[in-house]
Amino acid sequence: MAVPGDPPNGTPENIGGGDDEFRPDEYRSIVFDEDFVRAARIQEYSAQERMGEHARAVRSRSIWSGAGSGGSRTASPGRGARQGMLLVLLIATAFAVAVYMGLRNPYVPVPGGGAEPLASTVVPLAPAAVVPGGKPAELYAKSPAAQYRVGAAGITMPAVRRTQHFTDGQVGAALSIAKDYLVQSSLDPDVLSGAATRPVRVLLDPDQLAQFDRSMTSPSGDGRYAATGWLVRFDSATTVLADSRVRVSGTLGYEEVAPDVLQLTTDHTFVYAVRPASATGVAADGASLFTVRRELRLRFDREDLTARRAELASAYVMAGPQDCSADPAAGFRPLTAGTGPTTVGPAASDPYASGHPRRAAGLCGVLATPPPETEPVSPAP
């Protein structure tokens, strides 16, 4: 008798009872428990989830997936949310590292600030004997300046060697600027007469120009605003040059005082043949020598070297013969030939001495008159 659900013609041959017959009891030992299912790497979405935003049939069971307690499952966050969390984490980590490094290695800005003001000292030297007079060539031949070179040739350069932070080219540039400054401030006829200041001004650091300008227009012997601290200038109302060929001798040295500062030290003696401004014609033979010893410190940074300018840090100047009562800040007033001693001091200062000369102890010194060379040599014309 047929049972409902059986095929109408009965069970086909070779179906059932054979080796391929399905036997449910044989697979009861294979059990997919709940822990096994939860540990699966992929999981099929439910029918409701597949109808929503998900197009795939399965989802990843990564560590980012969430599972509710008590065996209930929750949908895992989307890929965009996970990427956003990663991005936030990376930004927070980078910020923390930056703060930590900033505290461990704080940035120290390069010291700024402009050039310091010039500190100058100008000391007049009074004659210790009667001021000799005569023709310039004869006066030079009888003085220690007989073997001095003429003009810029007397400003000789040292050997150029690089320092720790400055190349030999930069050292050479600093020496060249320093020589230009000495030439313009000590040998230029217009500067010496007080007719011009620009040749010196253009070589100075811009931060010192206000001090320089005030020194030229309102000179003062206060150590800051002496015109003769910046340059050599004669009082044109009383003195003129008797010979344009100034005798010069001295040294130039340099050293690196900071990684970005090169300092040059100049020490030169300039000997001028001068005469009273009122003397003309034959009276011009009544010339006398006037000696100026200048010790300068000039500083350069890399910007100064590029712009070909200098910072004049200090100047120590001794000049004579002069009357100690005269203020040399505005310009020098040499004592003329035949003038006798006006001051008696404790120790004489020799501006011709090599090395560091004895500096005057007060506001005025005594000009030492060293003996002339035994065999004076006439300077080159």
Side-chain angles (χ1 to χ4, degrees):
M1 179 175 177
V3 180
D6 289 342
N9 297 324
T11 301
E13 295 181 1
N14 300 327
I15 298 298
D19 293 338
D20 296 333
E21 183 179 358
F22 175 71
R23 298 180 178 88
D25 293 339
E26 296 181 5
Y27 296 94
R28 288 181 179 175
S29 61
I30 302 175
V31 178
F32 297 97
D33 58 13
E34 185 175 354
D35 291 338
F36 179 83
V37 174
R38 288 184 178 180
R41 296 289 296 174
I42 60 174
Q43 183 180 37
E44 182 181 3
Y45 286 111
S46 65
Q48 183 178 2
E49 290 174 330
R50 289 198 298 270
M51 292 175 61
E53 60 177 339
H54 302 288
R56 295 178 297 167
V58 295
R59 63 183 168 205
S60 172
R61 293 298 302 273
S62 65
I63 59 174
W64 293 97
S65 300
S69 61
S72 61
R73 297 191 301 268
T74 58
S76 63
R79 178 178 296 179
R82 294 197 299 271
Q83 292 177 344
M85 294 176 65
L86 282 172
L87 181 60
V88 171
L89 181 60
L90 289 174
I91 293 175
T93 303
F95 180 77
V97 171
V99 172
Y100 175 76
M101 295 300 293
L103 293 175
R104 287 288 303 273
N105 301 288
Y107 171 70
V108 179
V110 178
E116 296 181 359
L118 165 67
S120 63
T121 302
V122 182
V123 179
L125 299 178
V130 175
V131 178
K135 294 182 179 180
E138 295 174 352
L139 294 173
Y140 281 129
K142 297 177 181 179
S143 76
Q147 298 188 37
Y148 286 7
R149 295 182 178 181
V150 176
I155 305 174
T156 57
M157 295 288 199
V160 176
R161 295 184 178 88
R162 63 172 297 131
T163 65
Q164 184 176 359
H165 297 96
F166 288 86
T167 66
D168 51 358
Q170 291 172 324
V171 172
L175 290 169
S176 175
I177 299 169
K179 181 172 182 177
D180 286 347
Y181 186 86
L182 288 171
V183 170
Q184 299 300 332
S185 64
S186 308
L187 301 175
D188 187 302
D190 291 334
V191 172
L192 295 177
S193 65
T197 59
R198 179 173 171 77
V200 179
R201 191 179 191 275
V202 296
L203 294 173
L204 290 172
D205 189 290
D207 293 326
Q208 292 188 311
L209 294 182
Q211 183 188 11
F212 176 83
D213 292 341
R214 178 174 170 182
S215 300
M216 298 303 109
T217 58
S218 302
S220 173
D222 57 0
R224 295 289 185 182
Y225 300 105
T228 47
W230 301 92
L231 46 81
V232 177
R233 171 192 281 181
F234 294 102
D235 180 1
S236 59
T238 61
T239 307
V240 295
L241 287 177
D243 186 354
S244 60
R245 296 175 297 175
V246 182
R247 279 20 178 211
V248 184
S249 180
T251 60
L252 266 171
Y254 61 89
E255 64 176 332
E256 180 181 310
V257 295
D260 58 344
V261 178
L262 189 66
Q263 178 173 285
L264 270 68
T265 302
T266 75
D267 184 3
H268 289 82
T269 299
F270 301 87
V271 185
Y272 306 87
V274 298
R275 60 177 175 82
S278 59
T280 58
V282 178
D285 291 342
S288 61
L289 297 184
F290 187 81
T291 306
V292 179
R293 179 75 175 261
R294 304 182 75 196
E295 296 180 71
L296 310 179
R297 283 192 301 117
L298 300 101
R299 291 178 177 172
F300 303 85
D301 57 25
R302 289 173 177 79
E303 186 177 355
D304 292 329
L305 296 176
T306 302
R308 289 198 61 81
R309 66 194 186 200
E311 172 194 344
L312 184 58
S314 68
Y316 186 86
V317 182
M318 298 186 300
Q322 294 185 89
D323 191 334
C324 286
S325 63
D327 184 4
F332 298 126
R333 295 182 179 181
L335 292 175
T336 58
T339 305
T342 59
T343 303
V344 177
S349 297
D350 182 7
Y352 294 96
S354 60
H356 295 287
R358 181 192 299 272
R359 297 194 176 192
L363 299 179
C364 187
V366 177
L367 176 64
T369 306
E373 300 292 333
T374 55
E375 295 182 2
V377 179
S378 300

